[in-house]
Amino acid sequence: MIFLGGPVPDLVIGVLALQGDVREHLAALAECDVIGRPVRRPEEVAEIDALVIPGGESTTMSKLALAFEVYEPVRKRLAEGMPAYGSCAGMIMLADEVLDGRPDQKTFGGIAMTVRRNAFGRQVDSFEAPVDIAGVEGEPVHAIFIRAPWVESVTADVEVLGRVTAGPATGRMVAVRQGNLLATSFHPELTGDLRVHRLFVDMVRDQAS
């Protein structure tokens, strides 16, 4: 979306409101001075400038996207270049390929990566760790991983923004970007640190300007 002859109007960033950390993402977007809007119907997909796909449970999200008839509209908007950010399950939903998923599981796709579902273990094995994210200034991001995926592989079109730097998962890719699409294995919406959301908002503003 291109605007000529003046400042960019207020951006409307939707949060896919089928399941997961919807309220937390809406609160983070409000802190970033953009309009956050829950999205759960096909017509709402057409009314947003960008989309956040929250954490939750990716197989449930896949089924609900089909049931609420937003699966194809979201896929279409992403293919047309709409920016999107996916956290945890949202990362899985933006992946072109998923390992350890259900046979009938669908993703929106868009990032040329292969992710492994629940790669860090079950919820009892969830953990927190600092992660350096390219494009995010200051100290490392305090990352919360909850039944999180990691990225097994990417093509040359994908920029790896962050990796785990300590523990048994050292070196695993947990933050990536391809064009207007951003994804993280972790949940920045749960920490109060707005830097990842601000990075995404800046991506959306750059496209809209």
Side-chain angles (χ1 to χ4, degrees):
M1 191 179 300
I2 299 176
F3 301 91
L4 301 176
V8 177
D10 288 336
L11 294 174
V12 177
I13 299 182
V15 178
L16 190 63
L18 303 176
Q19 187 249 1
D21 301 332
V22 177
R23 287 181 298 178
E24 291 85 351
H25 278 292
L26 289 170
L29 291 171
E31 289 289 323
C32 293
D33 300 320
V34 296
I35 299 170
R37 181 177 297 170
V39 171
R40 62 175 60 89
R41 295 194 295 268
E43 59 269 24
E44 293 168 341
V45 177
E47 298 170 349
I48 58 176
D49 298 297
L51 181 67
V52 172
I53 307 170
E57 208 289 314
S58 61
T59 57
T60 301
M61 199 176 296
S62 170
K63 291 178 180 178
L64 291 174
L66 291 167
F68 280 79
E69 299 182 342
V70 297
Y71 176 76
E72 287 298 339
V74 169
R75 274 182 63 90
K76 184 174 184 290
R77 289 292 314 272
L78 294 178
E80 292 169 346
M82 178 180 69
Y85 165 51
S87 65
C88 196
M91 168 183 267
I92 295 172
M93 293 299 292
L94 289 176
D96 284 349
E97 184 179 3
V98 179
L99 302 178
D100 296 334
R102 290 171 57 97
D104 60 345
Q105 183 171 353
K106 291 180 175 290
T107 70
F108 298 127
I111 299 181
M113 63 179 173
T114 299
V115 300
R116 185 173 296 279
R117 183 171 168 267
N118 292 348
F120 288 102
R122 298 182 180 275
Q123 195 151 1
V124 292
D125 298 321
S126 299
F127 68 100
E128 304 178 20
V131 177
D132 288 309
I133 306 293
V136 173
E137 297 182 355
E139 62 189 14
V141 171
H142 181 74
I144 298 177
F145 297 89
I146 304 173
R147 297 180 63 194
W150 66 44
V151 180
E152 287 277 348
S153 62
V154 298
T155 71
D157 296 323
V158 179
E159 180 183 4
V160 178
L161 302 181
R163 297 175 182 266
V164 177
T165 57
T170 295
R172 292 293 184 180
M173 297 176 279
V174 293
V176 296
R177 176 181 178 179
Q178 182 175 351
N180 291 325
L181 303 179
L182 175 70
T184 64
S185 298
F186 52 88
H187 293 263
E189 73 277 8
L190 298 181
T191 66
D193 185 339
L194 298 174
R195 288 178 294 165
V196 173
H197 286 85
R198 290 195 189 282
L199 173 64
F200 178 57
V201 170
D202 287 345
M203 288 169 52
V204 180
R205 291 195 188 283
D206 287 345
Q207 190 206 35
S209 61

